[in-house]
Amino acid sequence: MSTQTASSIFAKAPAPGLADPVHDAQSVFRSAMNALAQPGTVQQLDILTLSPPAPLSVAATALVLTLCDYDTPLWLDPTLATNGTVKNYIRFHTAAPFVESPAEAAFALVSDTKLLPAIASFAAGNAEYPDRSTTIVLMVDELTEDEGITLKGPGIKTEKQFSIAPAPAMFWQQMQDNSTLYPLGIDIIFAGTSQVAGLPRSTKITGLEA
Amino acid sequence: MYVAVKGGEKAIRNAHKLMARDRRGDTSVPSLSLKQVSEQLYLSVSRVMAEGSLYDAELAALGIKQSRGDLIEAAFLMRAYRTTLPRFGYSKPIGTAKMLIRRRISATYKDLPGGQLLGPTFDYTQRLLDFKLAADGEAPTPEVQEFEKEEVVPRVTDLLNEEGLIEPDESIAPDAPVGDITREPLTFPADRDLRLQNLARGDEGFLLALGYSTQRGFGRTHPFAGEIRLGEVEVDFFMEELGFEVPLGTMTVTECQMINQFQGSASAPPQFTRGYGLVPGQGERKVMAMALVDRSLRAEELGEEIDSPTQDQEFVLSHSDNVQATGFVEHLKLPHYVDFQSELELIRKVRKEWQEKREAAEQELIAEAAQ
Amino acid sequence: MTERVETQGISGEHYNFAYLDEQTKRMIRRAILKGIAVPGYQVPFAAREMPMPYGWGTGGVQVTAAVIGKNDCLKMIDQGSDDTTNAVALRNFFVETTGVDTTTKTKDASIIQTRHRIPEENLTKDQVLVYQVPIPEPLRFLEPRETETRKMHALEEYGLMHVKLYEDIAKFGHIATAYAYPVMVQDRYVMDPSPTPKFDNPKMDQMEALQLFGAGREKRIYAIPPHTKVVSLDFEDHPFEVTKFEQPCAICGAEEIYLDEVILDDAGNRMFVCSDSDFCEERRDVGHVGHLGTNPLEAEGND
């Protein structure tokens, strides 16, 4: 094969995924696991070599590549859903089927908090199978521990302050409503640039007025 | 150091060496070749392929040799190997009407298109130990005759179907997702595709006993062996990348279609119903039992009263797998002394209290008697 | 390690890291995340056939295999001890398929897989405790049908469990459950703690480490995040009581720990020693001695 042919193929091929699929995925999973097990703590990801197409962040991409495959219907926000490069990239690396309706999604990838639809439009599971719910990977600019709203519940010793930026209007209010559905509800994994944090449905949220 | 809790590692190593020695047995006797097993113990191989859910006679032979002929252990070895294999996708459904038939019998018609073909069977043999085999006698070579391959030998149920006497095959959209019990945990109620998958890898002895129980009245089925056929079918695979089907090869399967008591409702006239069994390899007893159990498990769908174990899908499907069953029954061999200690403490306490109560009662009686 | 069980061809060249393929790991990882989000709820997962029998730890092994990374340090215990036969076999499985470091020291481990015990030493937030679970459904022995028990969990209908416990009290004067003693997790799900002795139940409450439970044959995963409320079921007039041993460990002198009863001779002489072998060893290393000395088999009257 001539170099020219090879490079033209590479030019069309999606950007590479995890450099070390086995160990990178394990390490990203551990961060996601710790994030959901200790809500409101910011977990640093080790993976820095990933170069996903814009507007995907390294952290959000690492999560999707680690958790999604052909068994997980994936919902993309309207911006991502109309971005061919992003869709090709995700399809190539995960084979996850894209779904139109948030209620059918096992995972949702939201690149901008402004594009987050009503939380209630995602799958919350049912009383017999509360696990049949959507996990939202939500890209944010900043994740901050020890300031902001107050979290309580499993994974938190007493209480934990936490904030995201930007936080869309009514977001915390919606998450508060989400937690009242417990054990139903959605779970969120926030993806910063290279950090993640978790907010499972079991977490109680207070201090919104602050 | 307290000795009883140490030495596990060494004990395991030595136990395995001893087992390997016993497996080989007397070394003056030649070791079994896999070919000997797969050629001469094919029914064992078939059972291991079916219950191990992996169609590979040579691996099944290896499993049988490695397990010293313990067929459940061999099926387990096959399953554990199977899970490590890469998965390319699902084949197209096999067409048993297009089978190259080696055996085909129907109990419901004297003769029928395609004919009755007795084939290789133990049926009608005298069950007398054959001492010629013990003396290593060679089997007589049957005469071989040219034949014309029948392209399609219709199944009895197809014939009945033409007259509308039997319920039609369930219609499934060609692109309907196929359930897969190896990929999704079984939940109840389970659809028939999942039930049949479960039964196909289920324990032959378990299905035999359940099928038998239905014949004796525990969930009566009224079956006729519409047809049993054994032979080779082609397996095709649709290659997404190429956009067409390619044949992967042929496999031996045994199929049984049971015809059962008629049913009818306000909207449908009385019709025979079906019970279905199919296994890879040659497993006639298994497919017949499977067809009986399949039919019984349709009780709810056909509006029958559910009052017998074989009609109870949670009971049947949760206990049919001998690899699961043997693991859990045999796990009782593992150390349980922590739990047992907990029980010991409790029973000592409860007994002590019982004793005290009784003594107190006796004292009271004595006191009363003394008054 | 010089003495290693001969590999049966499951070394790294033939199989993926930690044996499972990546698709299977993803599926298990997703189930773990759901389990963490809904503490005590049993998440169905498509357990794979493993190269060890069902009932012998396949669930715990699958959970560990999905969680473990090359920098982890694994401790594997059964009945509290690192050297019980099945613990040895499962530890070797991970040594062969991952090459990770293993330890017998509780405090050095990042992942501890256990059958039937919780270590005596407090676990920390950087540790994960993986339980092997045979029957994950706490209601199973009251109602064998999954279809029914699932409804009972959905409706939070746990009356049957209380009736059973109460019948015990009426009959025996006590709740006659000594192990696998049911707990209520975060005021919502009744959960089976796996067949750990009820002595260990209080350790689950507000534990700093993440607790993961795997049931392979029954195809369920569940979890208790750190600092989660775990309450053993009881009644106001019959509060939950922890088993108390009347004597300390015979060889390290520890009290208020769980003990194994060891029969020393056919005259019925017995001694009690720590079930947690690492805990016992650590104590003896720093000079603690029990009433039978460090080697009871050489102690007076026992030869």
Side-chain angles (χ1 to χ4, degrees):
Chain A
M1 194 190 286
S2 76
T3 20
Q4 220 162 5
T5 321
S7 59
S8 64
I9 288 171
F10 284 130
K12 276 185 219 155
L18 301 171
D20 182 349
V22 172
H23 298 291
D24 287 354
Q26 186 275 335
S27 146
V28 172
F29 165 70
R30 277 289 269 278
S31 302
M33 180 179 92
N34 290 337
L36 281 171
Q38 298 160 40
T41 61
V42 176
Q43 309 280 332
Q44 188 66 38
L45 293 183
D46 291 336
I47 312 303
L48 297 165
T49 53
L50 210 52
S51 48
L56 297 180
S57 71
V58 168
T61 308
L63 286 168
V64 168
L65 265 45
T66 295
L67 296 172
C68 296
D69 55 32
Y70 54 77
D71 285 333
T72 55
L74 176 64
W75 184 86
L76 300 177
D77 72 48
T79 301
L80 296 178
T82 50
N83 182 327
T85 314
V86 164
K87 284 181 85 172
N88 274 340
Y89 180 86
I90 294 174
R91 189 186 292 120
F92 180 81
H93 289 294
T94 70
F98 298 120
V99 289
E100 299 280 323
S101 156
E104 289 169 20
F107 284 88
L109 177 57
V110 180
S111 59
D112 185 330
T113 53
K114 287 198 291 290
L115 299 171
L116 185 70
I119 294 288
S121 64
F122 292 101
N126 61 56
E128 294 189 357
Y129 294 96
D131 54 307
R132 295 182 181 171
S133 57
T134 308
T135 301
I136 302 173
V137 173
L138 179 58
M139 280 170 54
V140 293
D141 296 338
E142 279 171 48
L143 294 168
T144 315
E145 276 187 51
D146 303 326
E147 59 175 64
I149 49 97
T150 300
L151 309 179
K152 274 188 185 176
I156 301 164
K157 191 169 185 178
T158 49
E159 52 181 51
K160 179 87 186 163
Q161 269 73 42
F162 176 68
S163 74
I164 57 164
M170 299 303 287
F171 173 75
W172 292 113
Q173 178 66 51
Q174 287 195 65
M175 289 309 293
Q176 223 174 24
D177 296 345
N178 179 62
S179 74
T180 63
L181 303 176
Y182 188 84
L184 309 192
I186 58 100
D187 309 306
I188 292 197
I189 307 177
F190 299 104
T193 45
S194 63
Q195 305 97 4
V196 296
L199 187 64
R201 64 193 83 175
S202 58
T203 303
K204 298 284 171 213
I205 302 164
T206 54
L208 265 55
E209 54 287 340
Chain B
M1 187 72 247
Y2 168 50
V3 279
V5 299
K6 284 282 171 194
E9 186 139 359
K10 200 173 169 196
I12 289 175
R13 196 166 48 233
N14 288 338
H16 290 173
K17 277 188 190 151
L18 204 52
M19 190 269 295
R21 193 196 67 180
D22 283 6
R23 171 166 55 214
R24 179 58 185 88
D26 183 349
T27 50
S28 67
V29 177
S31 175
L32 273 175
S33 73
L34 299 189
K35 258 296 184 250
Q36 284 174 326
V37 176
S38 61
E39 290 296 315
Q40 298 175 39
L41 299 177
Y42 185 70
L43 298 187
S44 293
V45 166
S46 285
R47 182 168 176 186
V48 169
M49 292 195 300
E51 292 171 9
S53 293
L54 184 61
Y55 187 78
D56 188 319
E58 194 174 316
L59 286 178
L62 175 59
I64 292 168
K65 180 175 179 175
Q66 185 178 334
S67 66
R68 307 176 69 194
D70 179 337
L71 301 188
I72 293 180
E73 180 75 15
F76 177 23
L77 292 169
M78 294 284 270
R79 295 264 192 99
Y81 180 73
R82 177 190 193 281
T83 50
T84 67
L85 299 175
R87 170 174 294 253
F88 299 111
Y90 299 97
S91 74
K92 305 296 289 179
I94 56 172
T96 51
K98 288 194 256 173
M99 174 189 280
L100 181 59
I101 286 174
R102 282 196 281 147
R103 170 168 163 78
R104 189 266 191 130
I105 54 161
S106 168
T108 51
Y109 291 99
K110 188 174 179 186
D111 200 6
L112 67 169
Q116 301 263 15
L117 192 63
L118 211 47
T121 177
F122 291 133
D123 296 350
Y124 317 114
T125 59
Q126 308 292 333
R127 264 57 172 213
L128 301 170
L129 278 174
D130 182 353
F131 293 101
K132 285 205 294 294
L133 280 177
D136 246 356
E138 286 299 320
T141 318
E143 282 171 40
V144 180
Q145 197 186 324
E146 289 299 312
F147 71 103
E148 269 188 43
K149 188 187 166 195
E150 304 243 11
E151 278 304 314
V152 173
V153 177
R155 292 167 302 193
V156 168
T157 46
D158 300 337
L159 302 171
L160 284 168
N161 206 10
E162 276 167 24
E163 240 187 298
L165 295 182
I166 194 162
E167 57 172 345
D169 262 326
E170 275 178 68
S171 59
I172 299 171
D175 57 346
V178 184
D180 185 343
I181 57 168
T182 68
R183 313 291 287 176
E184 292 287 327
L186 195 60
T187 55
F188 300 104
D191 288 341
R192 196 168 172 212
D193 54 344
L194 299 172
R195 300 200 302 257
L196 287 168
Q197 285 176 33
N198 176 290
L199 299 180
R201 57 157 50 185
D203 182 70
E204 179 173 317
F206 179 69
L207 298 188
L208 179 66
L210 287 177
Y212 177 45
S213 74
T214 68
Q215 287 180 286
R216 290 194 65 257
F218 286 83
R220 199 146 181 214
T221 48
H222 283 281
F224 292 96
E227 178 171 344
I228 295 159
R229 55 170 70 192
L230 159 73
E232 278 65 47
V233 292
E234 195 160 89
V235 181
D236 295 316
F237 185 74
F238 184 81
M239 305 280 286
E240 289 287 352
E241 308 88 300
L242 300 178
F244 54 81
E245 276 175 32
V246 291
L248 297 179
T250 59
M251 69 185 285
T252 302
V253 297
T254 312
E255 182 188 52
C256 173
Q257 301 235 42
M258 289 283 182
I259 299 170
N260 292 268
Q261 200 176 36
F262 36 83
Q263 285 282 326
S265 66
S267 55
Q271 279 181 321
F272 289 116
T273 56
R274 298 163 184 258
Y276 187 76
L278 181 123
V279 290
Q282 187 171 355
E284 202 158 296
R285 183 188 302 125
K286 167 77 178 277
V287 285
M288 293 181 75
M290 178 176 169
L292 292 178
V293 175
D294 168 50
R295 175 59 185 78
S296 279
L297 290 177
R298 297 180 60 206
E300 192 174 359
E301 166 200 346
L302 297 170
E304 295 165 342
E305 203 176 316
I306 297 177
D307 51 14
S308 300
T310 312
Q311 296 168 316
D312 181 337
Q313 39 164 290
E314 188 163 350
F315 178 78
V316 173
L317 304 179
S318 303
H319 303 113
S320 62
D321 190 307
N322 56 22
V323 176
Q324 290 178 4
T326 199
F328 200 48
V329 166
E330 294 194 44
H331 106 284
L332 295 172
K333 292 186 277 194
L334 291 178
H336 280 80
Y337 50 76
V338 163
D339 296 350
F340 190 67
Q341 187 62 45
S342 215
E343 293 271 281
L344 274 178
E345 293 295 321
L346 182 66
I347 198 168
R348 281 178 183 144
K349 187 171 172 184
V350 172
R351 278 173 63 94
K352 194 171 155 220
E353 285 169 3
W354 183 86
Q355 202 70 37
E356 283 165 3
K357 225 184 260 173
R358 203 172 109 152
E359 276 162 20
E362 274 170 11
Q363 289 302 324
E364 216 166 290
L365 277 178
I366 293 167
E368 270 173 34
Q371 278 178 357
Chain C
M1 200 188 299
T2 48
E3 290 194 332
R4 220 217 257 157
V5 172
E6 278 166 43
T7 69
Q8 297 184 339
I10 54 169
S11 56
E13 301 144 54
H14 301 289
Y15 292 94
N16 194 19
F17 178 83
Y19 182 78
L20 297 173
D21 59 278
E22 291 301 300
Q23 197 280 331
T24 300
K25 285 185 197 166
R26 271 194 299 275
M27 176 269 296
I28 295 171
R29 286 168 180 164
R30 292 192 294 258
I32 291 172
L33 296 186
K34 293 286 194 217
I36 290 170
V38 190
Y41 165 72
Q42 303 163 50
V43 185
F45 83 113
R48 299 292 191 247
E49 256 114 10
M50 299 297 284
M52 65 279 299
Y54 284 115
W56 297 51
T58 57
V61 167
Q62 288 179 79
V63 168
T64 298
V67 170
I68 201 167
K70 55 190 173 186
N71 298 326
D72 274 306
C73 182
L74 178 69
K75 174 179 166 79
M76 182 73 72
I77 50 172
D78 186 342
Q79 313 297 300
S81 162
D82 302 88
D83 202 50
T84 26
T85 41
N86 206 42
V88 171
L90 297 184
R91 184 184 313 109
N92 278 324
F93 171 79
F94 281 108
V95 168
E96 287 171 16
T97 58
T98 67
V100 298
D101 290 340
T102 63
T103 182
T104 59
K105 297 200 182 310
T106 300
K107 63 175 177 305
D108 293 345
S110 56
I111 299 175
I112 301 170
Q113 183 175 323
T114 181
R115 175 170 171 264
H116 293 192
R117 274 313 311 277
I118 297 174
E120 303 292 358
E121 197 167 324
N122 286 337
L123 303 183
T124 66
K125 75 173 180 54
D126 297 317
Q127 295 181 305
V128 180
L129 181 60
V130 178
Y131 296 75
Q132 298 169 208
V133 183
I135 303 265
E137 178 51 73
L139 308 168
R140 181 63 75 236
F141 296 104
L142 310 172
E143 168 51 65
R145 282 174 198 285
E146 152 78 12
T147 35
E148 292 300 317
T149 54
R150 186 161 287 279
K151 265 183 229 146
M152 290 156 77
H153 284 295
L155 301 170
E156 223 174 327
E157 178 51 67
Y158 296 128
L160 202 57
M161 179 64 94
H162 282 100
V163 169
K164 191 263 169 196
L165 297 179
Y166 204 82
E167 280 173 359
D168 277 3
I169 293 170
K171 198 167 168 189
F172 304 112
H174 296 278
I175 293 173
T177 301
Y179 61 92
Y181 189 104
V183 293
M184 172 65 87
V185 179
Q186 201 66 27
D187 302 319
R188 178 57 183 84
Y189 284 101
V190 167
M191 189 196 91
D192 182 291
S194 88
T196 47
K198 70 175 189 173
F199 177 90
D200 284 339
N201 274 21
K203 295 179 193 162
M204 306 178 90
D205 182 37
Q206 304 294 334
M207 186 189 279
E208 272 198 36
L210 170 64
Q211 303 173 71
L212 300 176
F213 300 77
R217 196 178 36 78
E218 299 281 341
K219 299 180 168 51
R220 296 288 183 274
I221 283 173
Y222 50 104
I224 303 177
H227 304 295
T228 297
K229 184 174 165 193
V230 180
V231 180
S232 303
L233 298 185
D234 63 358
F235 297 96
E236 257 176 43
D237 49 346
H238 281 271
F240 174 80
E241 272 178 19
V242 168
T243 316
K244 280 200 187 72
F245 291 87
E246 283 166 9
Q247 43 186 309
C249 171
I251 53 179
C252 83
E255 290 178 43
E256 292 181 13
I257 37 86
Y258 198 76
L259 299 171
D260 288 340
E261 181 171 332
V262 181
I263 297 179
L264 293 169
D265 55 28
D266 52 12
N269 281 317
R270 59 199 71 215
M271 66 167 178
F272 290 84
V273 291
C274 288
S275 147
D276 183 336
S277 57
D278 170 62
F279 182 80
C280 197
E281 210 170 311
E282 295 265 305
R283 279 180 55 86
R284 282 178 281 129
D285 282 351
V286 295
H288 292 281
V289 183
H291 58 277
L292 290 185
T294 49
N295 192 339
L297 300 184
E298 285 170 9
E300 239 175 284
N302 281 321
D303 49 8

